[in-house]
Amino acid sequence: MKIDEIDLKIIAELKRDSRLSMRELGRKVNLSPPSVTERVKRLEDSGVIEGYTIQVNRKKLGFTIDCIIEVTIKNGEHKRFKEFIEQYPTALSCYRIAGQACYMVMLTVSRLEEIEEFINGVSAFATTLTHIIFSEVKIKNNLEAHTPLLR
């Protein structure tokens, strides 16, 4: 599927506000509602748009501490770790990585003791290195600037 400039504009607008009506979206990208609906459907059917979601303010829910934990598996216990992390309630993401560590896990917790609980839970089959996050640097994603990469 070839992505054009209008598709990129549609994606950018939906990233800003996925609740836009097709009429509003069409107005923003200079297309009729039926045309924009057809393009959005094509983007969905092809898997470019995988779904729509909400952003939750974790801090307002009481999860005031975020951390990134490097996890290095002992004795090839990858399966055990995957089973552990898939069930871990405050794990936001987990990536298999190259380098000294095997995985990077992002946790969100309400108390430092919860980080300790995570570390205790994996210590039988992994070693960890924890990084507490103080603040986030916002990065503006401008898909239109990367048009050649998406064609």
Side-chain angles (χ1 to χ4, degrees):
M1 174 180 160
K2 187 167 176 135
I3 305 290
D4 65 17
E5 295 293 325
I6 294 172
D7 292 328
L8 292 174
K9 288 178 183 176
I10 289 169
I11 292 167
E13 290 298 334
L14 288 173
K15 280 185 71 173
R16 274 190 277 286
D17 183 0
S18 64
R19 297 179 69 188
L20 286 173
S21 70
M22 289 299 125
R23 175 168 287 154
E24 291 173 275
L25 181 57
R27 196 169 46 247
K28 289 179 178 281
V29 299
N30 297 317
L31 286 178
S32 68
S35 294
V36 81
T37 300
E38 182 180 314
R39 281 180 176 259
V40 168
K41 175 102 173 84
R42 184 174 48 87
L43 290 166
E44 291 170 344
D45 290 347
S46 66
V48 172
I49 296 176
E50 293 182 331
Y52 299 86
T53 187
I54 60 170
Q55 269 187 289
V56 175
N57 184 323
R58 297 186 309 273
K59 296 201 182 325
K60 291 195 181 215
L61 292 175
F63 297 101
T64 56
I65 304 166
D66 292 332
C67 69
I68 296 172
I69 301 176
E70 296 178 40
V71 177
T72 305
I73 301 300
K74 300 177 193 172
N75 304 319
E77 295 271 11
H78 294 276
K79 183 177 181 205
R80 187 172 172 192
F81 174 72
K82 284 181 183 181
E83 290 169 354
F84 174 85
I85 199 66
E86 286 171 354
Q87 302 303 313
Y88 209 81
T90 59
L92 296 176
S93 59
C94 178
Y95 300 97
R96 178 75 194 258
I97 60 169
Q100 285 189 310
C102 302
Y103 296 91
M104 288 289 243
V105 175
M106 184 165 177
L107 287 185
T108 188
V109 297
S110 56
R111 301 173 298 111
L112 287 173
E113 293 82 7
E114 293 173 78
I115 298 170
E116 184 178 16
E117 290 169 12
F118 176 89
I119 293 167
N120 290 342
V122 299
S123 65
F125 52 90
T127 58
T128 62
L129 177 62
T130 303
H131 307 273
I132 303 294
I133 298 170
F134 293 131
S135 62
E136 179 180 3
V137 177
K138 296 284 185 177
I139 298 172
K140 182 180 178 188
N141 275 331
N142 185 358
L143 288 176
E144 295 84 11
H146 300 289
T147 303
L149 298 176
L150 296 175
R151 287 189 179 156

